[in-house]
């Protein structure tokens, strides 16, 4: 029996959501993960100032396809007035949720005072969130944070409470500091502490890559929803596995034929949604193709070849060759 959580008035199955990932979780990626059972998705990070200054690419990132819902548009910025205006513009695309990024660790974001830099200035973080909440009206606003700036400044529970006080409808917590980036292990205890600090839903993130780790995060942190990021690389099937478990239905892991079929479907979707000609669009698909081959015999060589792909026909041929390699390897064992 599937349970649901509510972010504002938005109902989301309590299974697993797809995390926002700049440069990865584009529309094709989100649609594939939603098809395989992701309960919820968040857009790539969008610059609040970029929207306000009419940046074309930024505006494209805000649009929401029917197959992506429920979905949040994620904004980043450190100036309340720009954030409020950006929210007003983003609402034209009718997102289900507005999400504010206060967790991105990359220097080009942090150096503007945005992303995880806001965890060092909690008063400003609260002002940014409050401006977004006022501008959003009835659309719920959520905030993505990290455990803190560094190991000496772990402040996620306190910041989460301040964000709740200014009207945030949910808090997503990645259990690493900014200084960790994506290294080391995520600290799930901090997610538990945030859950204890607030009454609004808490979304846990960090080091979830399969059903077992998803269930452990729910059990160990008490979070309301689990969010998966890098664990979905080449693996939208993780959402199918988790969804099947919560529905009490059987799950069959994908074999190499299914993995390659889904890889090719994913590439076709990238090509269809891209405004670029085939060859430059294939450049965007290369890393996606490589991820689907992880963990198989001879995959290192094939992943290298993925980064040379220039056409869909080449991807088809490579997938067929990869399947034959796995079959011949299995026949030898």
């Amino acid at each position: 029996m599937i349970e649901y959580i509510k972010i504002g008035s938005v109902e989301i199955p309590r299974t697993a959501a797809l995390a926002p990932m700049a440069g990865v979780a584009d529309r094709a990626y989100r649609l594939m993960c939603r098809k395989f059972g992701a309960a919820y998705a968040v857009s790539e990070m969008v610059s609040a100032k970029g929207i306000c200054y009419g940046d074309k690419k930024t505006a494209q990132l805000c649009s929401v396809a029917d197959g992506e819902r429920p979905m949040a548009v994620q904004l980043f910025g450190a100036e309340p007035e720009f954030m409020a205006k950006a929210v007003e513009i983003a609402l034209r695309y009718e997102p289900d949720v507005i999400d504010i990024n206060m967790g991105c660790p990359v220097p080009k974001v942090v150096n503007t005072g945005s992303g995880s830099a806001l965890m060092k200035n909690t008063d400003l973080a609260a002002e940014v969130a409050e401006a977004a909440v006022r501008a959003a009206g009835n659309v719920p606003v959520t905030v993505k944070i990290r455990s803190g700036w560094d190991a000496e400044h772990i402040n996620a529970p306190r910041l989460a409470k301040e964000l709740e006080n200014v009207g945030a409808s949910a808090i997503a917590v990645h259990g690493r500091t900014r200084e960790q980036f994506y290294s080391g292990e995520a600290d799930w205890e901090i997610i538990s502490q945030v859950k204890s600090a607030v009454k609004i839903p808490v979304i846990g993130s960090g080091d979830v890559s399969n059903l077992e780790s998803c269930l452990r995060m729910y059990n160990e942190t008490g979070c309301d929803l689990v969010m998966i990021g890098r664990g979905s690389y080449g693996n939208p099937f993780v959402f199918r596995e988790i969804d099947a478990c919560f529905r009490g239905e059987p799950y069959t892991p994908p074999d190499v034929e299914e993995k390659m079929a889904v890889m090719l479907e994913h590439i076709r979707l990238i090509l269809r949604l891209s405004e670029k000609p085939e060859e430059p669009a294939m450049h965007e698909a290369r890393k996606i193709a490589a991820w689907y081959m992880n963990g198989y015999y001879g995959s290192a060589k094939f992943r290298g070849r993925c980064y040379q792909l220039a056409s869909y026909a080449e991807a088809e041929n490579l997938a067929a060759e990869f399947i034959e390699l796995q079959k011949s390897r299995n026949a030898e064992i």
Side-chain angles (χ1 to χ4, degrees), residues 107-173:
K108 71 177 182 179
V109 172
V110 168
N111 291 343
T112 68
S114 305
S116 55
L118 284 166
M119 299 203 70
K120 295 193 296 182
N121 189 343
T122 57
D123 288 343
L124 178 58
E127 290 176 21
V128 169
E130 186 173 23
V133 169
R134 284 200 307 268
N138 294 328
V139 176
V141 172
T142 61
V143 185
K144 176 79 180 288
I145 65 175
R146 283 185 167 238
S147 56
W149 177 258
D150 56 30
E152 286 70 47
H153 300 89
I154 303 295
N155 63 344
R158 179 170 62 85
L159 176 57
K161 185 63 181 174
E162 292 181 25
L163 295 169
E164 179 184 38
N165 288 341
V166 298
S169 294
I171 303 292
V173 187

Side-chain angles (χ1 to χ4, degrees), residues 253-303:
D255 55 21
V256 67
E257 286 91 345
E258 183 181 9
K259 275 208 166 184
M260 292 301 97
V262 173
M263 178 196 82
L264 291 172
E265 180 184 358
H266 196 153
I267 292 174
R268 289 196 300 272
L269 191 54
I270 291 171
L271 295 176
R272 180 167 65 82
L273 294 174
S274 177
E275 296 180 350
K276 301 176 183 177
E278 182 179 22
E279 184 168 350
M282 280 299 299
H283 290 190
E284 300 173 11
R286 288 172 172 177
K287 66 185 176 187
I288 299 295
W291 287 337
Y292 278 94
M293 294 181 175
N294 279 340
Y296 284 96
Y297 172 73
S299 61
K301 175 184 174 182
F302 274 81
R303 287 198 306 271

Side-chain angles (χ1 to χ4, degrees), residues 8 16-17 20 24 30 46 67 70 82 104 125 142 161 167 176 206 213 248 278 280 294 318 322 325:
V24 173
R30 296 192 300 267
V46 184
F82 277 108
C104 179
T142 61
K161 185 63 181 174
R176 287 182 172 86
S213 53
E278 182 179 22
N294 279 340
L318 193 62
F322 190 71
L325 175 65

